[in-house]
Amino acid sequence: MGIQNLSIDGTAKISGGEYGTVRVDGIATCEGDLKADSLSIDGILRCRGALAAGTLECDGLATVRGNVSAKSIEVDGLMKVTEGSRIEAEEIGCDGVIKVSGEITADRIVADGFVNAREITGDSIVIRSRRNVFQGLFRSYRSHIELIEATTVDLRSVVAREVNGRDVRIGR
């Protein structure tokens, strides 16, 4: 294992690696895969590899080219996962914006913010898109998801092509 803890308050470029706690309050660029027990982003993180964490909190801006996996993800800022990659987690909370060019898989998703993805699968999915500080990023103020599959689905202000579930509730 590499450095136990990493805190970035200014500007840094790292090659990747494994850490205990990573905190980004400034601007960080990661050239490879990044793994941490706990990852907190209050600034800007650009990761050109995969991102894995026990807990991941994004109050700032995170752009990831690889897959994202975590036990718990909380997004109050903007998380963008590009190049057909995916997000995998047990729990995802979102009051901000999640944009994924691929799919999201989680046991439980609760989003009052915006979620844009090709596909979302899980056990319980609740998305109630509401206007927030990032509303300027979206013209229609709605989440856009092509396919949603879950046991329980509760949607409001979501544009979806197909929704499959046992207990489905769709609001306006």
Side-chain angles (χ1 to χ4, degrees):
M1 173 130 34
I3 299 171
Q4 189 61 27
N5 297 317
L6 178 63
S7 181
I8 301 168
D9 291 324
T11 303
K13 186 174 187 178
I14 62 173
S15 61
E18 293 186 31
Y19 302 90
T21 301
V22 176
R23 181 162 180 82
V24 179
D25 288 320
I27 300 171
T29 302
C30 180
E31 296 297 330
D33 296 344
L34 179 62
K35 185 176 181 181
D37 295 332
S38 173
L39 174 60
S40 175
I41 305 160
D42 289 321
I44 298 171
L45 172 65
R46 292 181 188 96
C47 186
R48 295 193 172 113
L51 190 60
T55 59
L56 191 158
E57 292 182 24
C58 179
D59 292 331
L61 169 65
T63 304
V64 184
R65 283 192 188 165
N67 293 328
V68 175
S69 63
K71 183 176 180 179
S72 168
I73 298 174
E74 186 65 40
V75 178
D76 291 328
L78 171 62
M79 176 176 279
K80 187 175 180 181
V81 181
T82 63
E83 299 186 16
S85 298
R86 60 185 286 146
I87 295 177
E88 253 184 277
E90 289 180 21
E91 290 192 32
I92 298 175
C94 176
D95 287 331
V97 177
I98 297 175
K99 294 180 79 172
V100 181
S101 60
E103 63 185 70
I104 299 172
T105 302
D107 292 338
R108 180 171 161 77
I109 299 171
V110 177
D112 288 330
F114 297 95
V115 179
N116 284 2
R118 189 181 71 232
E119 181 179 330
I120 296 180
T121 59
D123 184 48
S124 174
I125 298 173
V126 178
I127 302 173
R128 302 179 206 111
S129 298
R130 296 185 185 146
R131 292 182 183 178
N132 60 23
V133 70
F134 294 103
Q135 67 187 11
L137 299 174
F138 296 90
R139 288 181 231 142
S140 64
Y141 306 115
R142 292 188 178 160
S143 293
H144 294 269
I145 303 142
E146 289 183 36
L147 172 63
I148 300 171
E149 290 184 346
T151 306
T152 305
V153 180
D154 183 353
L155 306 173
R156 289 188 197 111
S157 296
V158 175
V159 175
R161 183 174 298 186
E162 185 176 345
V163 177
N164 297 315
R166 187 180 66 198
D167 180 17
V168 177
R169 189 165 54 178
I170 300 176
R172 39 184 182 124

